[in-house]
């Protein structure tokens, strides 16, 4: 029981597990460089350099820009994640050279003696050598909800966590040999959880890739058939193919996620999975655990109210000091009773658990004493029951100190089911005193709850405490219907539909067990809600795991922080609005940017089909599309992707973008084709015709940018105006005009292009309004 010696530690195998919060720098570089887009654009770029003018190969710089920007942004996010992940790592208590010490998880070695207390997560496999009522929850591994009582000699596995009691085990498997790591090896590496946004973008790319092959083949054949100049034919075909590819869409999505991670990191928010940022934007129900979320960690001992004669203070002192790893309640009592009285030695103990809501010990000649929730330990007719309810209604936390003559089944009671309603088994518990604890309301709780009310996020307070106490705090914080608290023990256990209905119509719930918290999340999800769950204790783990978004408090147990997607490292409840706001910013802006990129794709597809079927030259060269795309998509996309917004994300991202991009793209294509055809029917040159088409392309896509950018702020108006000014300069300055092969000399053709663009812009406005896709 003295643990390893320093000499034994130095040569032992360490608990090295790849960090899952981010991928390696090499993996980041490979993911950003070796992409299908870069391959296609690289081949087209090489063709242009071989057969055409180098100015038409400017689009090749997109490969370099996309790769560099993507690598830099994700590396920034990686550094932020890695730093925060280290801060988030809960130390492990081990015994070495006979002395207890806390060490980082990666310093645990094979054979270490690891000490456990409530809330501790098991990072390695091992064999129990000491158990003081130790109960392990293995539900994350086995799905079995009931905690398992562990005795010396029993095996324990990584991925489980302690819920009650204390003990110690010897590490028998560490690092990648541990059960949880082998069971989910992918979870040890960087990975992305399911994301509607990312899936939508991936689907866009997949379908567009299949369209590019036949349409590109048709376009190449058309250009070769209609041009005596092979180089002109190749550059015309490349212009159409390159424009079809939304090369910056994946980049913008990655940047938005990465910047979101960095911004939240500056607020001490660890995002353990990047798509969790998307979940933040979709949340419409926020489930809060009262203790540790609405109230600050820790409590103060209030009054000790005797109900009968007896050694009340000695019993309280003994119960508070019986556990070597005291919980918050025991610590509050210890502040007044720092040590047990002489002779008060426990011969048997039942540690506190969230399921039982009481703890107890047999002190031999001094009898069996219990401390826990009055409405669990006492009958409604017992002395002190009504008094306890009155105290709870003021917002205080109330415990009953009880005594019983005998409790033969005390040891077996420690593995009682999670129903949370069983009484002390042998004999009736006699209330000896009531103990009040003062809870500390977070100073930022009221303001934060007001924010969620304004943003349309419904708050549900779910607590294991007395319903009256929870209602008093909820009412004080002005939570809607906070006074109508429901005792979770009265809720239907076998009627999910009824449970979901009650959850929809009520806000505050007390005496909720860990299993019920999990059921609450599932019931709310069954009603179509996107549910976020906050918590800090082991009783919140299962609900955090099942919620669409699990948010753990930084001061919470290691188990809660392990399963949550977001950890508020500074333990500030007021950080939540920033967390939700960042998610909304990311999703809303990616939708805006997707509208831009997909509009480009659809007008390129339509133009390629028109010119291919009709046998005309493509309306513009690659350098023209490079200029227009930079001014109406590339530069604005960077600005829009990082702009603030508070609108909650809605499902249906893919169809909503398509309802905008398809009509807008087709009308842009129609305007460009008509402008090109009108100019081509005269005596102008190909450069003159393409100049008219480029003017039409810029004006129509510039109008699309205006529609997407709404609501227009001064900053956005300045950006839109700057893009128009830069295009005007490109037409006016001879060097730039020559560089981009623009010849705006035929006034009639150019004015015709402007007129066609005005009509097309009006049509785009009507089409997107009818489709109802634009954000207000």
């Amino acid at each position: 029981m003295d643990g390893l010696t320093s000499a034994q530690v130095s040569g032992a195998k360490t608990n090295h597990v790849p960090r899952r919060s981010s991928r390696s720098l090499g993996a980041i570089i490979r993911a950003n460089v070796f992409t299908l887009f870069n391959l296609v654009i690289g081949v087209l770029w090489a063709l242009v350099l071989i057969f055409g003018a180098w100015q038409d190969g400017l689009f090749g710089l997109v490969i370099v820009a996309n790769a560099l920007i993507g690598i830099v942004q994700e590396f920034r996010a990686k550094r932020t994640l890695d730093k925060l992940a280290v801060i988030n790592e809960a130390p492990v208590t081990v015994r070495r050279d006979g002395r207890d010490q806390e060490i980082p998880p990666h310093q645990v070695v094979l054979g270490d003696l690891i000490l456990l207390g409530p809330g501790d997560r098991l990072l390695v496999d091992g064999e129990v050598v000491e158990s003081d009522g130790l109960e392990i929850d293995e539900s994350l591994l086995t799905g079995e909800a009931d905690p398992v009582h562990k005795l010396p000699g029993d095996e324990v596995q990584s991925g489980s966590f302690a819920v009650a009691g204390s003990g110690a085990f010897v590490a028998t498997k560490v690092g990648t040999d541990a059960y949880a790591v082998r069971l989910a090896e992918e979870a040890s590496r960087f990975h992305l959880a399911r994301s509607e946004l990312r899936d939508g973008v991936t689907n866009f790319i997949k379908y567009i890739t299949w369209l590019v092959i036949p349409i590109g083949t048709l376009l190449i054949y058309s250009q070769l058939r209609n041009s005596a100049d092979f180089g002109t034919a190749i550059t015309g075909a490349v212009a159409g193919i390159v424009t079809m590819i939304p090369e910056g869409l994946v980049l913008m999505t990655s940047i938005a996620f990465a910047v979101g991670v960095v911004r939240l990191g500056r607020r001490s928010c660890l995002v353990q999975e990047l798509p969790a940022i998307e979940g933040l934007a979709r949340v419409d129900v926020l489930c809060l655990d009262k203790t540790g979320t609405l109230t600050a960690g820790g409590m103060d001992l209030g009054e000790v109210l005797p109900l009968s004669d007896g050694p009340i203070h000695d019993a309280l002192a003994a119960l508070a000091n019986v556990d070597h790893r005291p919980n918050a309640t025991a610590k509050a009592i210890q502040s007044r009773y720092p040590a047990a009285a002489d002779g008060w030695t426990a011969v048997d103990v039942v540690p506190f658990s969230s399921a039982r809501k009481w703890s107890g010990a047999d002190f031999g000649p001094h009898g069996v004493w219990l401390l826990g929730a009055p409405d669990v330990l006492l009958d409604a007719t017992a002395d002190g029951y009504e008094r306890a309810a009155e105290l709870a209604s003021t917002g205080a936390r109330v415990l009953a100190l009880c005594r019983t003559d005998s409790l033969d089944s005390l040891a077996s009671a420690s593995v009682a089911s999670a129903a949370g309603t069983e009484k002390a088994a042998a004999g009736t518990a006699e209330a000896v005193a009531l103990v009040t604890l003062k809870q500390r309301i977070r100073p930022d709780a009221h303001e934060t709850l007001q924010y969620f009310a304004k943003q349309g996020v419904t708050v549900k307070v779910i607590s294991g405490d007395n319903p009256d106490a929870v209602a008093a705090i909820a009412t004080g914080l002005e939570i809607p219907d906070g006074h109508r608290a429901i005792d979770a023990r009265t809720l239907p256990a076998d009627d999910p539909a009824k449970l979901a209905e009650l959850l929809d119509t009520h806000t505050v719930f007390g005496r909720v067990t860990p299993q019920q918290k999990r059921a609450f999340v599932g019931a709310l999800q069954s009603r179509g809600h996107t549910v976020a769950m906050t918590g800090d204790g082991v009783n919140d783990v299962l609900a955090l795991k099942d919620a669409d978004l699990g948010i753990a408090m930084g001061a919470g147990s290691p188990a809660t922080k392990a399963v949550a997607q977001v950890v508020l490292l500074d333990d500030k409840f007021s950080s939540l609005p920033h967390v939700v706001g960042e998610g909304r910013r990311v999703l809303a802006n990616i939708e805006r940017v997707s509208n831009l990129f997909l509009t480009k794709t659809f007008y390129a597809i339509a133009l390629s089909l028109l010119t291919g079927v009709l046998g005309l030259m493509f309306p513009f060269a690659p350098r023209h599309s490079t200029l227009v795309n930079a001014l109406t998509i590339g530069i604005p996309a960077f600005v829009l992707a990082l702009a603030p917004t508070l609108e909650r994300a809605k499902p249906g991202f893919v169809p909503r973008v398509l309802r905008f991009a398809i009509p807008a793209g087709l009308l842009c294509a129609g305007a460009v084709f008509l402008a090109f055809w009108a100019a081509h029917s005269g005596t102008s040159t190909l450069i003159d015709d393409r100049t008219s088409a480029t003017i039409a392309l810029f004006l129509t896509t510039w109008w699309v940018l205006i529609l997407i950018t709404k609501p227009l702020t001064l900053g956005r108006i300045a950006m839109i105006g700057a893009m128009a000014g830069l295009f005007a300069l490109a037409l006016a300055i001879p060097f730039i005009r020559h560089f981009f092969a623009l010849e705006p000399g035929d006034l009639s053709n150019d004015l015709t292009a402007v007129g066609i663009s005005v009509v097309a812009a009006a049509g785009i406005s009507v089409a997107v309004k009818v489709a109802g896709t634009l954000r207000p």
Side-chain angles (χ1 to χ4, degrees), residues 96-164:
R96 292 176 178 174
D97 295 318
R99 182 169 54 87
D100 294 352
Q101 53 186 290
E102 291 187 343
I103 61 172
H106 67 272
Q107 291 184 9
V108 172
V109 300
L110 189 68
D112 251 330
L113 180 64
I114 302 174
L115 310 183
L116 288 176
D120 286 346
R121 182 166 64 111
L122 279 72
L123 300 176
V124 298
D125 299 350
E127 179 181 327
V128 176
V129 295
E130 182 180 284
S131 174
D132 188 5
L134 179 65
E135 296 177 31
I136 301 293
D137 189 315
E138 300 176 342
S139 57
L140 299 180
L141 299 176
T142 65
E144 294 295 330
D146 293 344
V148 180
H149 186 59
K150 294 292 184 178
L151 299 173
D154 290 345
E155 290 187 0
V156 289
Q157 293 178 318
S158 54
S160 54
F161 55 95
V163 291

Side-chain angles (χ1 to χ4, degrees), residues 387-429:
R387 175 62 175 150
E390 292 173 4
L391 291 169
S393 65
T394 65
R397 186 172 186 181
V398 185
L399 301 175
L401 176 66
C402 301
R403 177 173 51 193
T404 185
D405 294 333
S406 63
L407 196 57
D408 297 333
S409 57
L410 188 60
S412 61
S414 64
V415 289
S417 74
T421 57
E422 55 274 276
K423 305 288 191 275
T428 302

Side-chain angles (χ1 to χ4, degrees), residues 129-408:
V129 295
E130 182 180 284
S131 174
D132 188 5
L134 179 65
E135 296 177 31
I136 301 293
D137 189 315
E138 300 176 342
S139 57
L140 299 180
L141 299 176
T142 65
E144 294 295 330
D146 293 344
V148 180
H149 186 59
K150 294 292 184 178
L151 299 173
D154 290 345
E155 290 187 0
V156 289
Q157 293 178 318
S158 54
S160 54
F161 55 95
V163 291
S166 60
F169 72 97
V170 172
T172 56
K173 291 181 181 178
V174 299
T176 53
D177 293 334
Y179 179 76
V181 179
R182 288 186 289 107
L183 185 69
E185 189 176 356
E186 288 303 314
S188 300
R189 305 194 190 102
F190 176 88
H191 75 289
L192 292 177
R194 185 189 176 279
S195 159
E196 181 185 344
L197 173 64
R198 197 186 69 252
D199 291 347
V201 171
T202 302
N203 287 332
F204 283 144
I205 294 168
K206 179 175 67 176
Y207 297 136
I208 289 166
T209 301
W210 286 110
L211 285 173
V212 164
I213 297 172
I215 296 174
T217 303
L218 173 65
L219 185 60
I220 292 171
Y221 171 75
S222 168
Q223 300 305 290
L224 291 173
R225 190 183 65 179
N226 286 276
S227 177
D229 183 353
F230 186 78
T232 302
I234 289 296
T235 54
V238 168
I241 297 172
V242 168
T243 310
M244 276 189 277
I245 300 173
E247 69 278 350
L249 184 54
V250 176
L251 174 67
M252 286 299 130
T253 304
S254 300
I255 286 175
F257 276 145
V259 171
V261 166
V262 173
R263 284 181 169 177
L264 289 176
R266 289 171 181 164
R267 295 186 177 275
S268 297
C269 298
L270 170 60
V271 180
Q272 306 205 88
E273 297 178 6
L274 292 184
I277 291 180
E278 179 182 342
L280 298 170
R282 303 189 187 281
V283 166
D284 63 344
V285 174
L286 176 63
C287 296
L288 301 173
D289 177 50
K290 175 184 69 67
T291 305
T293 304
L294 295 179
T295 59
M299 291 176 284
D300 299 318
L301 181 61
E303 298 180 281
V304 177
L305 305 173
L307 297 175
S308 64
D309 295 333
I312 296 172
H313 301 291
D314 288 345
L316 267 180
L319 286 171
N321 289 278
V322 75
D323 196 337
H324 300 299
R325 302 285 294 273
N327 57 22
T329 300
K331 288 179 180 177
I333 298 174
Q334 283 179 355
S335 64
R336 189 176 301 176
Y337 304 101
D342 293 339
W344 284 76
T345 302
V347 296
D348 204 353
V349 176
V350 175
F352 177 83
S353 78
S354 301
R356 279 187 298 272
K357 305 191 187 305
W358 58 268
S359 62
D362 184 349
F363 294 104
H366 299 289
V368 176
W369 293 81
L370 309 176
L371 182 67
D375 49 343
V376 172
L377 291 175
L378 305 177
D379 293 324
T381 58
D383 291 341
Y385 188 91
E386 291 186 2
R387 175 62 175 150
E390 292 173 4
L391 291 169
S393 65
T394 65
R397 186 172 186 181
V398 185
L399 301 175
L401 176 66
C402 301
R403 177 173 51 193
T404 185
D405 294 333
S406 63
L407 196 57
D408 297 333

